[in-house]
Amino acid sequence: MFDQRIVKELVLSSLVADSYSLGAHWIYDEKQLEQIDFDWNELNAPKAIWHKGKVAGDFTHIGDQAFWLYQYLQNKESFDVLEYIEFWKNKMDIYNGYIDGATRETLENINDEKTPTGSSSTDLSVIGRIAPLLLVSKTKEEFLSNVETLVSSTHNSKEAIVASRFFAILLLEVLEGKVIEEAILELKDKFDTKIQSFIYSGVASKTDDTFEAIRGFGPACDISGGFEGVIHLLCKYDNLKDMLVCNARAGGDSSSRAMVSTMIFMAQPDKSLNQIPSSWLNIKATIA
């Protein structure tokens, strides 16, 4: 069984990363990003119309779904995906936040009684939700199995399943004390050429300006672009705040990149919640 305290810190830090990202999330216009009128050192209310009604300290729809998974797994001994999907659907039925394409398609599949329920989405976002599964995984193998089951329940594409396995293994390696960049490079030969190209590009960009690197890879929601962006962030930064601020300034789907990279970053044995500015912990949720 994984250390529950550490797991909860990983979940909390990834949710903080999402909440911090809310302010500039899904803003793509470079001039707007440069001129945005808020303090990059604090949590901010969203500027994008997609998050209308949310305030500073809230989560994006991505963080909301990660928090729901954490809530669902409280006091569970294992991950029952059918029970979870029912829980998730009940949440979505009354949700007033943004409903993304993967969610819409998954809900349609559920209503049409299709099996599997997962959409064909290749969005990166689902990978940022995997940390809570450590709470109910007794072994590495069970964790990897739970990750695939979770991901395929809403994002049933080869791209999402393969990418999630990469980051799940990387998370385990870093929890065991491996240096992030070394672990990334050691894993590359265990994956297909597409993942290898993402890794090469991401690692090679570590000395580049983050804004330019992420804009070059593509700042949108897809795994292609987002994967390289995460690798860039993990290989470039040794300070969580700097990483999250520079990531947010690059715009686009900053939340997905932030959640995945923060989860891995905070798995390092020498990192703690002290890495997070105290004011950023004023999120609208409690991790018991």
Side-chain angles (χ1 to χ4, degrees), residues 190-243:
K190 298 180 181 180
F191 287 83
D192 60 33
T193 55
K194 180 180 285 188
I195 296 295
Q196 289 176 17
S197 70
F198 291 165
I199 292 170
Y200 281 123
S201 297
V203 173
S205 75
K206 68 180 181 179
T207 57
D208 296 343
D209 174 76
T210 293
F211 185 91
E212 297 299 330
I214 288 176
R215 304 298 290 195
F217 293 137
C221 303
D222 202 78
I223 287 167
S224 178
F227 193 115
E228 301 98 300
V230 170
I231 299 297
H232 165 86
L233 294 169
L234 289 172
C235 292
K236 184 175 180 70
Y237 292 97
D238 192 45
N239 179 284
L240 182 66
K241 180 183 176 183
D242 290 347
M243 181 179 80

Side-chain angles (χ1 to χ4, degrees), residues 74-85:
Q74 296 300 289
N75 304 314
K76 300 288 186 185
E77 294 294 326
S78 60
F79 180 52
D80 183 331
V81 70
L82 296 179
E83 185 179 84
Y84 167 70
I85 282 294

Side-chain angles (χ1 to χ4, degrees), residues 62-113:
I62 300 168
D64 282 332
Q65 293 198 40
F67 184 58
W68 296 344
L69 176 63
Y70 177 79
Q71 287 181 309
Y72 167 75
L73 291 173
Q74 296 300 289
N75 304 314
K76 300 288 186 185
E77 294 294 326
S78 60
F79 180 52
D80 183 331
V81 70
L82 296 179
E83 185 179 84
Y84 167 70
I85 282 294
E86 182 178 358
F87 174 90
W88 176 85
K89 183 180 183 299
N90 289 337
K91 290 282 192 181
M92 292 308 313
D93 285 344
I94 58 172
Y95 187 54
N96 59 5
Y98 184 77
I99 308 295
D100 62 22
T103 297
R104 285 196 303 272
E105 186 180 340
T106 299
L107 289 171
E108 289 172 4
N109 288 344
I110 293 170
N111 290 333
D112 293 341
E113 298 184 351

Side-chain angles (χ1 to χ4, degrees), residues 266 271-277:
M266 292 297 288
K271 304 304 179 188
S272 71
L273 294 180
N274 292 331
Q275 286 271 321
I276 301 174

